[in-house]
Amino acid sequence: MESSASGDGSSAADAATAAAAASSSSGPSTSAPAFSAGGVAGPSATHYLAKRVLHGSAVQHVARGRFRSEHLWEIVLCKETSLELVVVGEDGVLQSICEQSTFGIIKDVGVLDWRFKQFGIWPEIEGKEILVLLSDSGKLSLLYFSCQMHRFIAIENIELSKPGNMRDQLGRILAIDHDSAWVAISAYEDAFAFVHVGKSPHKYFYPPEIVERANIMHVVYKTSDIRGTVWSMCFMRTRCSMDEYYPVVAMIINRKGSDVNELSVYALAANDGGIQHLSSFSEPGPLALDISEIPQLDGFALLFRAGDILFVDLREPKDICCTIRISITGSLIGGQISVEDSCRGLDVDDDVAACALLELRDSGNNIMMDDNYMAIDGVDNAGSMKSRIICSWSWEPDAVRGRPRLIFCLDDGEFHTLEFNWDIEGVKVLPERVHRGLPCRPLLWMNRGMIAGFVEMGDGMILQLEHGRLVHKSAVQNVGPILDLAIADYHGEKQDQMFSCCGMCPEGSLRVIRNGINVEKLLRTEPIYQGVTGLWTLRMKRTDTYHSFVILAFVEETRVLSVGLSFNDISDAVGFQPDVCTLACGLIADGLLVQIHSKGVKLCLPTTYAHPEGAPLTSPVSVVWYPDVTISVGAVGQNMVAVATSNPCCLYILRVRSLSSFQYELYETQHVQLQYEVSCISIPEEDSKLRTVSSAVGGGDVRKRKGNNLAAKVDVRMFAVIGTHKPSVEVVSLEPEEAFRLLSIGSMSVNNAFGAPISGCIPENVRFVASERFYILAGLRNGMLLRFESDTSKDHYFPGSFYKDSFTPCVNTPLQLIAIRHIGITPVGLVALRDSANADIIVLSDRSWLLHASRHSLAYSSISFLPASHVTPVSSVDCPSGLLFVAENCLHLVEMVHGKRLNAQKFSIGGTPRKVLYHSDSRTLLVMRTGLTGASCSSDIVQIDPNNGILLSRFKCEPGETARCIQIAKIGSEQVLIVGTSKSNDHPMMPNGEAESIKGRLIVLSLDTLGSPRESSSFIPTSNLSSSSHTGSFPEIVGYATEELSSNSMCSSPDDVCYNQIQLEQMTGHLRSLTHVTFAGAVLAVYPYLDRYVLAAAGNTLCVFGFVNENPHRMKKYAVSRTRFTITCLKTYASRIAVGDCRDGLLFYSYNESLRKLELIYADPAQRLVGDVALLNCETAVVSDRCGSISVLSCPRLEVSESPEKNLAVHCSFFMGEIAMSIQKAAFRYRLPIDNETDPVLESAYNCVVASTMLGSVFVLIPLTSEEHYLLQDVQERLSVHQLTAPLLGNDHAEFRRRGIPSGVPSILDGDMLVQFLELTSEQQQTVLDAAPSGKGPPRSISIFQVMRTLERVHYALN
């Protein structure tokens, strides 16, 4: 997850103020600016920014290719509005490489293999395959992966149709031929095209339009004579002469007015360049659904039908015949599928055909969508009607020659393989059933026999084919659809987690979604480590796999602990001086440790008590070197020590030599006086540095560096990076054979316009990083992070001054400031994850971040952990990839979980979780479930301990009754749970929006007897949920029966909470019913009102209930009002009532207590299919619709005589491309990065909105001041047309985000587009700001730091 929100999502009284307006800056500065409180975005705020803080996880399409290098296989997951590049490790765990928004809706995906045939046309794509996407833009997008930008970038967007999202316009399905030269594209119906893409155009007799750009040539051939709906297509290798027909495509078409699908063959005629229909084939029997050519068997294809598979011979496209029929109509537990030689005489099954049409329905296709748009709100198991249809299939990528294999998945969860064996007797088909699980869509066969399957509304899985059976390797997390979301707020404490209802029966789950990179907590010590000033881990030898020592420095003390799950003090056996504060330490040579403190440098040889390979002596060997002045900083490298003093400002270089057995000497080799005091020193790991440089020169870019002498390129000087009080970052030579030499310098300009002290700009930490190109990181004392680079020649990795045979002066190789970011307000620490120059780096300031070393500019992600003062990597037998943090005076041993793409803990809950509420008094969750399989009830409300997933109490609905909504209300001094139900499992409304004639109930449950979690599992905000298996007896909680939530998935994730089989019918309910009322319609929405009433919506009726004498047992109806259509949601703020109508949109009501009457105050100006609504105040609401948009509406001041009809004003809107099912108000509190630490810390509470979607995304809407909006709108317009940041799929960004929005309504700013500005270097940022959008005249001047300050504040808050 990118980020998360905290706040109270249910309290209407918790209004928040917006961020302070950014003050202007007068040029580049490394001072952290002080902010002043600016304009407040209160109730009248009409400017918002929408940022996706969690990308969707529902995968619609998948592709396999070599996108980063010709030697690496990767997978692209297409999630409708975003792309994710992942790799699968040998352990089967899916690891994310990058994820990016597409600013468009993906329709289909393919891969062009241009690794060799297109050699030389574009340097960035050499050796890589090209990703091909179809989208709603109406363009065919060709994308390559840029290693420098760490993302996909478009090399061409070929226009096919405009706007591209109509059903008769090209852009629905694509197919790519074997030679990666032709792409076939179809519309939903009627239209079809061939696109020839290549290095240079081919000449045809009929000259179509040829477009050339960047040496990519394409030719488009179109036809509109299909006369039907295209269901599937593939290229075929036939016996047709290429001089006559080429290419040839086979497609399944449903002709208009026909009840069956036919197989048709189309080809491009070479004589006139026209698309011709060659033949059609229709076999009696079930409905044809899909087609695929068989690899290695040219001219043969498989025709997938409902209940069977046909082996079709298309070698002569004008004479198609079927030779083999493979039946798949057996039962789930029956025998193998059967193969028959004849396929004649089968009857058409109309029911199967209807099911097949439902199966083909695309979730993103509005044309073929079910008439009932509320289907997600009703039946939980609609898929149970379907039977024996192949929902996904994939071919083995590297099959044995002449023996292609196919794996396919049926809609009942059976997996089968088909092996085709070609010999002199013909084709033999060998079927085999290999697995039974959940139906997957899509399916991908990868290398090493691994298979990735993605479940529509549950977790996917990585399987491996072993000995004819699929073995589960790992789970692929999918939180979509998110049906509801709850945000906990412990009386204003900062939280980083959300509770969400995810998936649907049988894969429904409750997830705890956390911000940042997940860490597994292994050990936490007692709070006995106050005043820690330094933390390091050391090995005994450089080649050791594991660390041996943990060094803790305090103000006047140093301790040495052994490494392991328990820390033992071994200070006396190591030899470090215990009564001093250690400034730095390290391994200077195998077995020799160095301690640097203010009085001197101590060399130690530990004893065997401290380490088995230590000296066999009773006390450690030690040697001390004392300078004449006090040491301020130091660093230890291989065979050298560098220390600096402050008065005078000197730099000393020390080395070690052996005098005899167990006798060593520290001696000075260099001593130089500096102009400025040194603030920090870093010596790169020599071995790692040289290895990285060699790899960078010789790998991945071999063609450009062909013929270079690699050995000469890595013959660089030994060097150190130092930070000075100038302030500056300098690289100095440490070569023993030459005098002190300055190799390069990077200066920092200081802007004192805001009174920032120069001391704040002094480097606190510096580090050399060797990636695609080398750079220097500098963390400043004022909480800023800087990246410096230096220009290098084409054939060299380093500047000339770094090489031993070079005498280039440092003034010719300056370090240039490439990027600058505000991390926090405290000094920035830099700690590498491992001893390597290209390792990722943990950045410490106000919070912990992980900086991705290989990324362009400065890219980092937050770590889901407490704010820490120190951290060090620690590797042991029990924890090979551990991290040791110092936080809250404790040592925390954790392990960073790189394999988890989502930082989300899962509790498999059974059924479909529809609603979740956080009960603050008991610190538990109340979850409404439907679709249960128990005999006693199909729906209930349960109380869950969020720490361990234990069910504390439960209320069962009556048999045949389904819970539809829940809310917590307070009646007098007693808390109650209001539950709305329907007396049927069917849809509560008709497709036209009118209510079905289904009875419902309003039930009042007591919450005063809710059980709290046990003391041992108290809800700690920063702790992860326990993922340990509970296999013993159930924990006992006095007065309450307990149950552990179960998972009925065959392939449960290792991260899931395991369970025992529990009979729900044996459990006694403990949520006590106080009273209930029966309605003539299903109660779909309830909400408390004015702390003494309850609102209930049944069908199109809105009722106000009160409680006589504040007695929850005596409920009385006070008022009734009716809308035209079914009410789907209710929210209140003070005296305002917001009603969501499934057709008429948003309605505002108020209740007149004296007249006991509901009055319609304001109405929506347009019809709207309301998804959910959140009231920000009495005048403003945020509403989502079922078309993928979200809007901010408010009520203007009315004249007395003005009618209340259609008078809500739409202030701004935003097309998300995803349907938001839940909207909640939330508050974000954060500290602004200020320089002067003596000033009071400024806090802003954003009046924000959090929205969760069907695809598993989470969006946050943040209010902006007019000044901020005006500034960022300018930046957004420029980013949307810049080459590096423009929409990936070729969409017009403004048109996409305004889709379906009335003309004249302002658009909400796109945070996904704006955040790209932070990923650019300073030079690229300036280029963006200097460019003017076309047709808008000269650009107005915008300061980079003005933009950065505004965006960083938003980024800081959302993380």
Side-chain angles (χ1 to χ4, degrees):
M1 176 184 181
E2 287 183 11
S3 50
S4 183
S6 65
D8 188 350
S10 60
S11 174
D14 185 21
T17 57
S23 53
S24 60
S25 175
S26 58
S29 168
T30 53
S31 302
F35 287 90
S36 59
V40 175
S44 61
T46 58
H47 303 295
Y48 286 85
L49 178 147
K51 175 71 176 70
R52 186 189 341 232
V53 296
L54 178 67
H55 283 276
S57 55
V59 177
Q60 276 80 40
H61 307 280
V62 61
R64 173 178 176 267
R66 296 179 174 97
F67 302 109
R68 290 187 298 164
S69 165
E70 60 183 288
H71 307 293
L72 300 173
W73 282 107
E74 293 111 357
I75 300 171
V76 170
L77 307 181
C78 300
K79 297 178 285 188
E80 196 157 300
T81 58
S82 64
L83 284 178
E84 184 179 10
L85 182 67
V86 301
V87 295
V88 179
E90 295 184 359
D91 56 356
V93 175
L94 212 64
Q95 299 183 11
S96 181
I97 302 299
C98 78
E99 190 168 19
Q100 64 188 104
S101 297
T102 57
F103 306 103
I105 298 175
I106 300 170
K107 299 295 185 182
D108 206 356
V109 63
V111 176
L112 289 173
D113 188 357
W114 282 3
R115 289 174 294 155
F116 307 111
K117 60 177 293 184
Q118 302 295 339
F119 192 84
I121 67 168
W122 193 299
E124 288 82 359
I125 68 174
E126 292 182 15
K128 301 177 183 178
E129 292 183 295
I130 304 300
L131 187 66
V132 183
L133 293 179
L134 272 182
S135 67
D136 61 343
S137 67
K139 298 178 181 178
L140 182 68
S141 302
L142 308 183
L143 315 177
Y144 80 97
F145 188 82
S146 169
C147 294
Q148 183 185 23
M149 296 295 296
H150 203 73
R151 57 182 299 178
F152 284 99
I153 294 179
I155 57 174
E156 190 74 13
N157 282 300
I158 302 170
E159 186 165 306
L160 304 171
S161 58
K162 194 172 183 178
N165 48 15
M166 305 298 291
R167 67 184 193 177
D168 59 348
Q169 292 181 332
L170 294 172
R172 169 65 180 88
I173 305 173
L174 70 80
I176 298 176
D177 78 326
H178 314 78
D179 300 322
S180 293
W182 291 90
V183 181
I185 301 164
S186 77
Y188 285 102
E189 58 183 29
D190 298 342
F192 170 76
F194 284 114
V195 180
H196 183 264
V197 185
K199 176 180 178 181
S200 59
H202 288 255
K203 294 183 179 180
Y204 292 87
F205 294 104
Y206 181 78
E209 181 183 2
I210 299 176
V211 183
E212 179 178 0
R213 181 185 176 189
N215 297 324
I216 301 293
M217 306 293 296
H218 67 265
V219 189
V220 181
Y221 304 86
K222 301 181 181 180
T223 182
S224 300
D225 297 330
I226 300 297
R227 300 283 195 275
T229 302
V230 180
W231 285 43
S232 177
M233 62 182 180
C234 68
F235 280 91
M236 297 299 304
R237 291 183 177 180
T238 68
R239 293 174 178 172
C240 292
S241 171
M242 293 183 64
D243 296 332
E244 184 180 4
Y245 296 109
Y246 187 80
V248 178
V249 165
M251 61 177 66
I252 297 175
I253 301 176
N254 179 263
R255 302 292 183 184
K256 294 181 178 179
S258 174
D259 294 332
V260 297
N261 290 347
E262 68 177 41
L263 173 61
S264 296
V265 179
Y266 287 82
L268 185 67
N271 58 352
D272 62 359
I275 297 176
Q276 294 188 7
H277 176 249
L278 300 185
S279 64
S280 294
F281 172 82
S282 181
E283 187 73 23
L287 195 69
L289 305 174
D290 212 343
I291 187 171
S292 172
E293 185 183 23
I294 303 176
Q296 304 184 31
L297 301 183
D298 293 351
F300 291 96
L302 293 182
L303 187 64
F304 302 101
R305 306 196 302 177
D308 65 16
I309 305 172
L310 302 185
F311 186 88
V312 184
D313 185 351
L314 290 98
R315 288 176 293 180
E316 295 293 341
K318 295 184 179 181
D319 184 20
I320 304 173
C321 63
C322 170
T323 59
I324 299 174
R325 174 181 176 269
I326 305 168
S327 175
I328 56 174
T329 56
S331 65
L332 184 66
I333 58 175
Q336 294 289 346
I337 58 178
S338 59
V339 180
E340 304 172 7
D341 291 333
S342 174
C343 59
R344 307 290 179 181
L346 300 177
D347 297 328
V348 176
D349 188 338
D350 292 335
D351 291 336
V352 173
C355 291
L357 283 169
L358 290 174
E359 186 68 24
L360 184 72
R361 186 189 56 160
D362 187 348
S363 63
N365 178 5
N366 293 328
I367 300 160
M368 302 185 67
M369 188 171 289
D370 195 328
D371 289 338
N372 189 354
Y373 65 89
M374 300 296 290
I376 192 70
D377 303 314
V379 180
D380 291 284
N381 235 346
S384 60
M385 299 183 301
K386 311 168 191 173
S387 62
R388 313 304 288 179
I389 295 173
I390 295 176
C391 56
S392 59
W393 50 268
S394 181
W395 292 97
E396 185 178 11
D398 300 313
V400 178
R401 185 171 180 81
R403 300 177 63 182
R405 284 200 298 173
L406 173 81
I407 187 168
F408 63 87
C409 177
L410 299 174
D411 60 349
D412 54 19
E414 277 194 13
F415 289 73
H416 295 262
T417 61
L418 293 178
E419 183 176 322
F420 298 86
N421 193 352
W422 178 271
D423 55 25
I424 58 175
E425 299 179 359
V427 177
K428 295 180 180 179
V429 182
L430 305 176
E432 185 175 16
R433 189 177 65 185
V434 294
H435 186 65
R436 176 188 169 191
L438 294 168
C440 294
R441 185 186 298 107
L443 194 68
L444 179 67
W445 198 329
M446 304 174 291
N447 54 335
R448 302 193 302 272
M450 290 190 182
I451 293 156
F454 301 90
V455 180
E456 280 192 329
M457 294 190 183
D459 285 347
M461 61 201 78
I462 303 295
L463 308 170
Q464 187 159 29
L465 190 59
E466 297 178 357
H467 309 295
R469 288 292 180 265
L470 285 179
V471 179
H472 180 265
K473 301 292 289 185
S474 68
V476 181
Q477 291 192 77
N478 173 23
V479 299
I482 301 179
L483 301 179
D484 196 22
L485 199 67
I487 305 171
D489 182 20
Y490 306 118
H491 310 290
E493 298 175 19
K494 186 182 295 184
Q495 302 303 308
D496 63 349
Q497 54 199 359
M498 302 179 184
F499 304 104
S500 60
C501 295
C502 300
M504 296 189 70
C505 181
E507 283 296 294
S509 63
L510 179 68
R511 314 251 180 164
V512 184
I513 303 174
R514 289 186 172 83
N515 174 43
I517 299 172
N518 184 50
V519 294
E520 296 290 346
K521 299 173 179 63
L522 305 178
L523 175 69
R524 174 176 175 172
T525 68
E526 295 297 324
I528 58 174
Y529 296 95
Q530 295 91 351
V532 174
T533 60
L535 177 67
W536 304 269
T537 49
L538 301 180
R539 291 179 169 86
M540 190 65 175
K541 293 183 179 179
R542 292 190 179 275
T543 56
D544 285 352
T545 304
Y546 305 117
H547 291 104
S548 300
F549 312 106
V550 176
I551 289 83
L552 278 165
F554 300 86
V555 177
E556 295 180 348
E557 184 184 6
T558 295
R559 300 183 200 171
V560 182
L561 310 178
S562 61
V563 170
L565 289 179
S566 61
F567 301 101
N568 299 317
D569 196 322
I570 53 172
S571 302
D572 294 339
V574 171
F576 277 19
Q577 189 166 334
D579 58 349
V580 295
C581 174
T582 299
L583 302 176
C585 61
L587 180 68
I588 192 171
D590 286 350
L592 297 178
L593 309 183
V594 170
Q595 176 192 22
I596 302 174
H597 54 88
S598 61
K599 303 299 182 183
V601 179
K602 188 173 187 179
L603 177 72
C604 302
L605 176 60
T607 67
T608 52
Y609 178 80
H611 193 277
E613 297 185 19
L617 304 173
T618 57
S619 61
V621 176
S622 61
V623 178
V624 183
W625 175 85
Y626 294 104
D628 297 332
V629 292
T630 302
I631 298 174
S632 56
V633 292
V636 181
Q638 187 170 356
N639 297 320
M640 74 177 70
V641 178
V643 295
T645 61
S646 57
N647 190 18
C649 301
C650 296
L651 180 66
Y652 297 86
I653 306 300
L654 310 178
R655 297 187 182 273
V656 63
R657 57 190 170 201
S658 175
L659 302 179
S660 62
S661 179
F662 302 129
Q663 297 222 357
Y664 301 90
E665 179 187 10
L666 272 174
Y667 65 99
E668 177 185 323
T669 61
Q670 289 176 299
H671 171 204
V672 62
Q673 186 164 349
L674 305 175
Q675 185 177 1
Y676 297 97
E677 181 181 349
V678 175
S679 62
C680 52
I681 306 175
S682 174
I683 302 177
E685 287 287 332
E686 184 176 0
D687 294 340
S688 301
K689 178 190 66 178
L690 296 182
R691 182 170 60 252
T692 305
V693 172
S694 177
S695 173
V697 174
D701 205 12
V702 177
R703 300 182 185 93
K704 290 190 289 184
R705 304 181 185 272
K706 196 172 181 179
N708 291 336
N709 183 354
L710 299 184
K713 305 309 175 197
V714 298
D715 189 17
V716 298
R717 290 183 167 94
M718 299 175 64
F719 63 86
V721 183
I722 64 174
T724 74
H725 283 243
K726 182 180 179 179
S728 66
V729 172
E730 302 177 3
V731 183
V732 297
S733 172
L734 300 181
E735 278 297 316
E737 304 298 330
E738 64 181 26
F740 176 83
R741 177 182 172 88
L742 183 62
L743 303 181
S744 188
I745 183 171
S747 299
M748 307 174 196
S749 62
V750 179
N751 187 343
N752 283 323
F754 300 100
I758 296 178
S759 60
C761 305
I762 295 172
E764 177 73 11
N765 269 275
V766 290
R767 183 165 184 86
F768 166 84
V769 182
S771 182
E772 185 76 10
R773 58 186 305 169
F774 96 92
Y775 60 91
I776 305 294
L777 285 177
L780 307 188
R781 293 180 179 177
N782 61 10
M784 300 183 73
L785 181 65
L786 282 63
R787 172 168 170 161
F788 291 89
E789 292 182 7
S790 180
D791 292 333
T792 58
S793 63
K794 181 179 180 181
D795 298 328
H796 289 74
Y797 185 76
F798 287 112
S801 61
F802 282 58
Y803 296 96
K804 292 182 180 179
D805 57 355
S806 170
F807 297 96
T808 305
C810 70
V811 293
N812 293 337
T813 56
L815 292 172
Q816 299 175 354
L817 181 59
I818 299 299
I820 180 170
R821 295 291 296 272
H822 297 275
I823 295 293
I825 61 173
T826 58
V828 176
L830 305 173
V831 180
L833 284 181
R834 62 183 189 279
D835 296 332
S836 173
N838 64 349
D840 288 348
I841 296 169
I842 294 180
V843 182
L844 295 180
S845 185
D846 298 358
R847 62 181 68 169
S848 304
W849 308 84
L850 179 66
L851 185 138
H852 310 285
S854 62
R855 298 280 290 274
H856 184 64
S857 187
L858 290 173
Y860 48 86
S861 305
S862 62
I863 299 175
S864 182
F865 194 68
L866 295 165
S869 59
H870 298 84
V871 65
T872 184
V874 57
S875 178
S876 64
V877 176
D878 301 308
C879 182
S881 303
L883 290 171
L884 195 62
F885 283 93
V886 177
E888 297 181 339
N889 299 325
C890 302
L891 294 182
H892 301 259
L893 179 61
V894 305
E895 192 167 20
M896 194 174 296
V897 185
H898 289 287
K900 295 186 72 171
R901 295 165 48 248
L902 299 174
N903 188 0
Q905 177 69 45
K906 174 185 177 182
F907 290 118
S908 294
I909 199 169
T912 300
R914 297 280 181 178
K915 298 290 182 182
V916 59
L917 300 173
Y918 175 70
H919 187 246
S920 57
D921 289 357
S922 64
R923 293 191 173 183
T924 58
L925 301 176
L926 297 169
V927 180
M928 185 186 81
R929 302 189 294 182
T930 63
L932 302 177
T933 56
S936 62
C937 73
S938 60
S939 180
D940 65 5
I941 291 92
V942 292
Q943 180 201 11
I944 296 172
D945 181 353
N947 298 282
N948 46 34
I950 292 178
L951 191 149
L952 302 175
S953 54
R954 180 185 186 201
F955 173 81
K956 295 180 184 179
C957 294
E958 294 179 352
E961 186 178 36
T962 302
R964 296 292 183 181
C965 53
I966 56 175
Q967 283 294 337
I968 297 174
K970 191 170 184 179
I971 307 302
S973 60
E974 184 175 352
Q975 279 193 332
V976 296
L977 183 68
I978 309 298
V979 182
T981 72
S982 66
K983 288 287 191 176
S984 171
N985 290 326
D986 296 333
H987 297 304
M989 69 187 74
M990 291 183 266
N992 63 1
E994 295 181 2
E996 292 279 7
S997 56
I998 301 174
K999 290 185 178 297
R1001 286 200 301 162
L1002 178 66
I1003 307 171
V1004 181
L1005 304 180
S1006 174
L1007 295 181
D1008 284 353
T1009 57
L1010 277 187
S1012 298
R1014 290 171 296 170
E1015 204 61 37
S1016 60
S1017 63
S1018 59
F1019 196 10
I1020 301 174
T1022 57
S1023 66
N1024 284 330
L1025 298 184
S1026 171
S1027 59
S1028 59
S1029 302
H1030 301 283
T1031 56
S1033 60
F1034 302 140
E1036 296 183 1
I1037 301 179
V1038 177
Y1040 300 92
T1042 63
E1043 172 195 10
E1044 296 196 12
L1045 301 179
S1046 63
S1047 166
N1048 53 8
S1049 170
M1050 293 182 56
C1051 299
S1052 298
S1053 165
D1055 298 323
D1056 294 352
V1057 173
C1058 299
Y1059 70 100
N1060 295 300
Q1061 292 290 345
I1062 299 172
Q1063 298 298 324
L1064 299 182
E1065 290 78 5
Q1066 299 175 0
M1067 183 176 181
T1068 304
H1070 296 286
L1071 289 172
R1072 182 166 50 93
S1073 175
L1074 301 178
T1075 186
H1076 73 271
V1077 177
T1078 301
F1079 289 83
V1083 181
L1084 299 183
V1086 294
Y1087 213 82
Y1089 182 57
L1090 297 177
D1091 289 333
R1092 54 187 178 274
Y1093 300 105
V1094 169
L1095 302 175
N1100 67 335
T1101 303
L1102 176 63
C1103 301
V1104 180
F1105 287 90
F1107 296 87
V1108 179
N1109 299 325
E1110 296 185 346
N1111 185 350
H1113 296 271
R1114 301 179 61 188
M1115 187 162 53
K1116 180 180 179 180
K1117 184 187 294 185
Y1118 287 115
V1120 177
S1121 182
R1122 285 179 172 82
T1123 61
R1124 293 200 303 169
F1125 299 100
T1126 304
I1127 298 172
T1128 59
C1129 58
L1130 283 174
K1131 293 291 174 66
T1132 66
Y1133 185 101
S1135 61
R1136 179 70 71 239
I1137 302 170
V1139 175
D1141 185 301
C1142 72
R1143 281 287 189 268
D1144 283 339
L1146 186 62
L1147 308 172
F1148 278 11
Y1149 283 85
S1150 68
Y1151 175 59
N1152 190 320
E1153 292 187 88
S1154 59
L1155 299 177
R1156 293 189 176 180
K1157 181 180 179 181
L1158 282 167
E1159 299 176 347
L1160 177 63
I1161 304 300
Y1162 302 104
D1164 204 318
Q1167 285 198 334
R1168 194 185 310 272
L1169 308 180
V1170 176
D1172 199 9
V1173 63
L1175 273 172
L1176 302 182
N1177 49 64
C1178 289
E1179 311 296 325
T1180 308
V1182 179
V1183 60
S1184 68
D1185 60 41
R1186 302 273 174 137
C1187 297
S1189 296
I1190 192 166
S1191 303
V1192 179
L1193 282 70
S1194 65
C1195 36
R1197 295 180 180 178
L1198 299 176
E1199 299 295 336
V1200 176
S1201 60
E1202 188 172 349
S1203 167
E1205 293 294 327
K1206 297 184 179 180
N1207 49 29
L1208 279 173
V1210 182
H1211 279 294
C1212 51
S1213 294
F1214 184 77
F1215 179 71
M1216 297 183 292
E1218 305 178 30
I1219 299 174
M1221 295 297 298
S1222 174
I1223 299 181
Q1224 294 192 30
K1225 179 182 172 183
F1228 291 84
R1229 297 177 176 87
Y1230 63 96
R1231 298 201 302 177
L1232 298 174
I1234 58 176
D1235 176 53
N1236 192 345
E1237 298 182 13
T1238 62
D1239 288 346
V1241 175
L1242 301 177
E1243 289 196 2
S1244 291
Y1246 271 143
N1247 198 7
C1248 299
V1249 173
V1250 179
S1252 59
T1253 74
M1254 293 286 292
L1255 293 180
S1257 299
V1258 176
F1259 287 82
V1260 174
L1261 267 66
I1262 299 176
L1264 301 174
T1265 63
S1266 298
E1267 293 79 7
E1268 290 171 330
H1269 180 270
Y1270 182 54
L1271 171 70
L1272 295 182
Q1273 187 176 40
D1274 257 11
V1275 177
Q1276 177 176 293
E1277 290 177 358
R1278 303 178 196 200
L1279 287 170
S1280 65
V1281 296
H1282 191 270
Q1283 180 181 1
L1284 295 177
T1285 54
L1288 195 64
L1289 305 177
N1291 295 70
D1292 181 286
H1293 178 261
E1295 183 276 331
F1296 176 71
R1297 289 307 188 192
R1298 291 186 53 82
R1299 188 169 298 171
I1301 299 174
S1303 176
V1305 175
S1307 178
I1308 294 173
L1309 293 181
D1310 188 348
D1312 290 332
M1313 174 63 70
L1314 288 166
V1315 79
Q1316 295 181 105
F1317 190 83
L1318 299 177
E1319 300 171 2
L1320 303 177
T1321 65
S1322 298
E1323 182 179 355
Q1324 292 168 337
Q1325 290 171 347
Q1326 191 62 58
T1327 302
V1328 169
L1329 297 183
D1330 289 343
S1334 58
K1336 293 202 173 184
R1340 72 183 184 99
S1341 177
I1342 301 177
S1343 165
I1344 289 181
F1345 293 94
Q1346 188 180 4
V1347 178
M1348 290 289 289
R1349 196 160 50 236
T1350 307
L1351 291 178
E1352 281 175 344
R1353 186 168 59 251
V1354 172
H1355 180 266
Y1356 195 84
L1358 295 181
N1359 279 274

